[in-house]
Amino acid sequence: MKINWNYIKGFLLIGAVFFLFAFAEKRSNSRKISEVSLQFTNSENLYVTEEAVNKLLIQNHVEVATVVKDTLDLNRVESILDAHDMIEKAEVFMSVDGKMGASITQRKPIGRVLAARPYYIDRKGEKMPLSTFYSARVPVVSGIREEHLSEVFPLLDHIRNDPFMAVHVTGINRLANGMYELEVRKQDFAVHFGKIEDIERKTTNFKAFYQKAMKDKKLNAYKKVNLQFKDQVVSTKK
């Protein structure tokens, strides 16, 4: 029987390729992680720094220089980062050259609540602690308790997404009767918003009033602007 050496050589070559691949894979997985690379979405690291993230990982016994690739639990690292008060979402990944990467989206405050211990309201309507690294320029909210967060959130969210309101509204005050007033930048008149309903209509009416009064140079003539009425803005002069 004639032996076909070409087939044997082919099988040996295939076996050698698989062996080398498996060896390289094992060696790669046994390599220690050389460094961690952090990426902040929108290039913002206002409320949590790279140093703070690295310290958090060390405190949770994720020391990059001593961890082997195949022993690192990426889901656990994500959970650690997601639990940070200033992080909204973290996505952790591993590169082929032994570097751990993390894409971090920070929480974004849209209002600052005055309280015994002040705090932010974030863009999801949840309570967020103040940061030691950065102070956000957002409307100051007074007169509310934690149970009012869901009530005031739609107004804060609308202000954040409306360029005119975001520039001009500096404060929101909840009155004892459950009604709300707005404070306007560089103006001493109060804007009576009423209940947080019909937000689009009320802000449209307010913008029309403001622009007309500014054109007529009469913004300083008013002490109160009432937005509660459906088809008109009722203003009271000084």
Side-chain angles (χ1 to χ4, degrees):
M1 180 177 178
K2 187 177 181 179
I3 298 175
N4 191 328
W5 291 104
N6 289 330
Y7 281 120
I8 294 175
K9 290 178 181 179
F11 282 123
L12 289 174
L13 180 60
I14 292 172
V17 169
F18 275 110
F19 173 79
L20 291 174
F21 178 80
F23 177 77
E25 180 73 10
K26 182 176 178 60
R27 185 177 180 181
S28 175
N29 287 336
S30 64
R31 290 170 57 187
K32 291 181 179 179
I33 301 168
S34 58
E35 64 179 87
V36 57
S37 175
L38 301 180
Q39 302 170 358
F40 292 90
T41 58
N42 299 322
S43 301
E44 290 185 346
N45 59 332
L46 303 177
Y47 306 104
V48 59
T49 63
E50 289 191 30
E51 181 182 357
V53 172
N54 287 323
K55 183 177 180 181
L56 176 66
L57 294 176
I58 292 172
Q59 289 172 342
N60 286 271
H61 309 292
V62 183
E63 298 185 51
V64 173
T66 62
V67 175
V68 177
K69 284 178 65 177
D70 62 357
T71 64
L72 181 65
D73 185 345
L74 297 184
N75 289 330
R76 175 174 174 264
V77 178
E78 283 189 355
S79 296
I80 291 170
L81 296 177
D82 285 341
H84 192 284
D85 286 336
M86 298 298 176
I87 295 177
E88 181 176 299
K89 179 65 178 174
E91 295 182 1
V92 181
F93 54 90
M94 186 68 66
S95 66
V96 293
D97 57 350
K99 295 180 181 179
M100 185 180 77
S103 176
I104 295 175
T105 300
Q106 298 188 79
R107 297 174 70 184
K108 189 172 184 64
I110 61 174
R112 176 173 178 153
V113 178
L114 295 182
R117 295 186 65 180
Y119 58 90
Y120 290 128
I121 302 174
D122 73 4
R123 60 182 169 185
K124 293 186 175 181
E126 298 174 354
K127 185 177 178 181
M128 172 184 172
L130 302 185
S131 170
T132 57
F133 301 108
Y134 184 81
S135 181
R137 297 183 64 181
V138 292
V140 175
V141 184
S142 58
I144 72 166
R145 298 187 296 272
E146 285 191 44
E147 58 262 35
H148 300 135
L149 294 185
S150 59
E151 179 181 88
V152 73
F153 172 70
L155 179 56
L156 279 169
D157 191 50
H158 180 85
I159 291 171
R160 174 177 74 100
N161 290 298
D162 185 303
F164 178 91
M165 299 296 284
V167 169
H168 289 87
V169 176
T170 59
I172 300 174
N173 181 34
R174 189 181 194 274
L175 305 177
N177 61 3
M179 301 294 183
Y180 283 83
E181 285 188 346
L182 308 182
E183 296 177 9
V184 182
R185 188 181 306 279
K186 295 182 180 180
Q187 304 300 329
D188 60 359
F189 58 76
V191 178
H192 192 72
F193 196 86
K195 291 184 178 181
I196 299 183
E197 56 188 18
D198 299 325
I199 296 175
E200 186 71 39
R201 174 182 59 79
K202 290 178 180 180
T203 54
T204 298
N205 289 346
F206 174 65
K207 286 187 281 187
F209 161 82
Y210 190 99
Q211 291 165 352
K212 178 67 166 58
M214 183 173 63
K215 182 179 179 181
D216 296 340
K217 298 181 179 180
K218 292 183 178 180
L219 280 173
N220 294 327
Y222 301 100
K223 65 178 181 179
K224 187 174 183 179
V225 176
N226 195 328
L227 305 178
Q228 288 191 98
F229 302 96
K230 185 173 182 180
D231 295 320
Q232 60 181 330
V233 175
V234 177
S235 55
T236 305
K237 291 187 176 181
K238 296 178 179 177

